[in-house]
C-alpha cells in the first residue's frame, strides 16, 4: 500500500508541475476534479480512495493541498512551476520575514537578491524555525532576514497563502540581512 508521503509526492508532481503526466487539466487557479485525480492514481496502481485522499490532504505536514468547499475539486496551495493564478490575498507583511537557504547560494543571493528560481514567487517564512526546516532540505540551513515591512512600503506586493507562506516577486539584496 502506498504511504501518505508517496501519494503526496505524486499529487505535488501532478498539481504543481506536470498535470499532463496524469492527463489532468488544471483551471486557471490550479484546480482539478478530485474524481480525475482518483482515476489517475488508480491508473498508476496507487491504492487511494476518496477517504484516503481526504486524509492525505488534511494531515499533510505543510497543508500543501486544499479541497473546494464541495469536496469536488483539489489544488496545490502554492509551489507551482506551471502557470496558475493563485489569487492569494495581498497582505501587509510583518516587519521581518525569514528565508532559509544554504551557504552555496549566498554569493548569487547577495549579488541579485532572492529570486523565485523555478517557482512563481520567492517563498518566505514568518518564523526562524520554519525557515530552518526549509533551508535544511538542501544542507545546513543559513537563515536570511528580509526587511519585508520596508519592501512593502516601497510598493512591493506580498501575498499570504492559506498555509501561512508569504510570497513575493523578488527581494533585492539591500533588504536582506543575516539572522
Ligand atoms: C535559492 C518547500 C541562487 C533559494 C519548502 C532556495 C518551502 C537562489 C532555492 C518552499 C537565489 C530555490 C520553498 C539566487 C533564491 N541565486 N539561489 N538569486 N534566490 N535562491 O525550493 O524557498 O515542500 O524553489 O534560497 O519547504 O527553498 O514544496 O524555494 O534555496 O516552503 O511544499 O534557490 O518549498 O515546500 O528553492 O522553498 P525552492 P525554497 P514544499
Amino acid at each position: 500500500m502506498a504511504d501518505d508521503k508517496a501519494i503526496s509526492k505524486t499529487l505535488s508532481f501532478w498539481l504543481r508541475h506536470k498535470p499532463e503526466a496524469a492527463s489532468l487539466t488544471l483551471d486557471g487557479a490550479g484546480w482539478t476534479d478530485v474524481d480525475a485525480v482518483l482515476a489517475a492514481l488508480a491508473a498508476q496502481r496507487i491504492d487511494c480512495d476518496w477517504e484516503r485522499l481526504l486524509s492525505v490532504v488534511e494531515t499533510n505536514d505543510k497543508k500543501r493541498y486544499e479541497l473546494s468547499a464541495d469536496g469536488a475539486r483539489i489544488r496545490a496551495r502554492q509551489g507551482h512551476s506551471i502557470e496558475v493564478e493563485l489569487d492569494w490575498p495581498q497582505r501587509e507583511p510583518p516587519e521581518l520575514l525569514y528565508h532559509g537557504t544554504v551557504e552555496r547560494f549566498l554569493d548569487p543571493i547577495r549579488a541579485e537578491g532572492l529570486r523565485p528560481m523555478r517557482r512563481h514567487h520567492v517563498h518566505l517564512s514568518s518564523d526562524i524555525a520554519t525557515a530552518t526546516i526549509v533551508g535544511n532540505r538542501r544542507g545546513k540551513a543559513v537563515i536570511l532576514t528580509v526587511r519585508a515591512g520596508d519592501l512593502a512600503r516601497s510598493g512591493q506586493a506580498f501575498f499570504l497563502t492559506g498555509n501561512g507562506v508569504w510570497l513575493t516577486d523578488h527581494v533585492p539584496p539591500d533588504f536582506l540581512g543575516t539572522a
Side-chain angles (χ1 to χ4, degrees):
M1 194 166 164
D3 63 11
D4 282 7
K5 199 162 175 191
I7 295 172
S8 174
K9 286 205 160 175
T10 303
L11 290 177
S12 171
F13 181 60
W14 291 345
L15 300 178
R16 289 169 161 180
H17 307 298
K18 224 172 191 309
E20 67 272 20
S23 303
L24 296 171
T25 316
L26 307 192
D27 74 8
W31 295 100
T32 194
D33 287 338
V34 168
D35 285 346
V37 170
L38 290 174
L41 288 165
Q44 304 253 340
R45 304 193 184 287
I46 298 174
D47 186 20
C48 181
D49 60 10
W50 158 245
E51 277 80 27
R52 187 79 195 284
L53 186 66
L54 188 64
S55 144
V56 168
V57 169
E58 283 181 346
T59 62
N60 184 260
D61 54 350
K62 293 173 71 186
K63 305 250 175 289
R64 289 182 178 87
Y65 315 102
E66 67 178 327
L67 292 168
S68 56
D70 63 2
R73 316 266 282 161
I74 185 171
R75 74 170 172 180
R77 290 185 196 263
Q78 84 279 315
H80 300 78
S81 57
I82 51 177
E83 203 49 57
V84 287
E85 275 308 321
L86 286 173
D87 55 31
W88 294 120
Q90 194 171 338
R91 289 269 186 275
E92 284 303 310
E95 283 305 312
L96 280 187
L97 288 171
Y98 303 92
H99 179 84
T101 188
V102 283
E103 176 80 34
R104 66 182 183 280
F105 296 148
L106 288 182
D107 281 348
I109 289 173
R110 282 197 189 103
E112 56 191 28
L114 289 173
R115 296 198 296 116
M117 310 310 280
R118 295 224 291 269
R119 303 190 192 244
H120 289 194
H121 294 98
V122 174
H123 288 224
L124 301 171
S125 309
S126 54
D127 59 88
I128 292 178
T130 308
T132 304
I133 294 170
V134 173
N136 278 339
R137 286 155 51 241
R138 304 184 186 285
K140 187 178 178 322
V142 175
I143 307 303
L144 301 175
T145 55
V146 173
R147 287 194 292 113
D150 288 341
L151 190 51
R153 284 187 289 275
S154 81
Q156 191 165 311
F158 284 77
F159 302 89
L160 181 58
T161 74
N163 57 337
V165 177
W166 286 91
L167 305 175
T168 196
D169 285 342
H170 175 229
V171 180
D174 291 355
F175 292 83
L176 289 170
T178 38

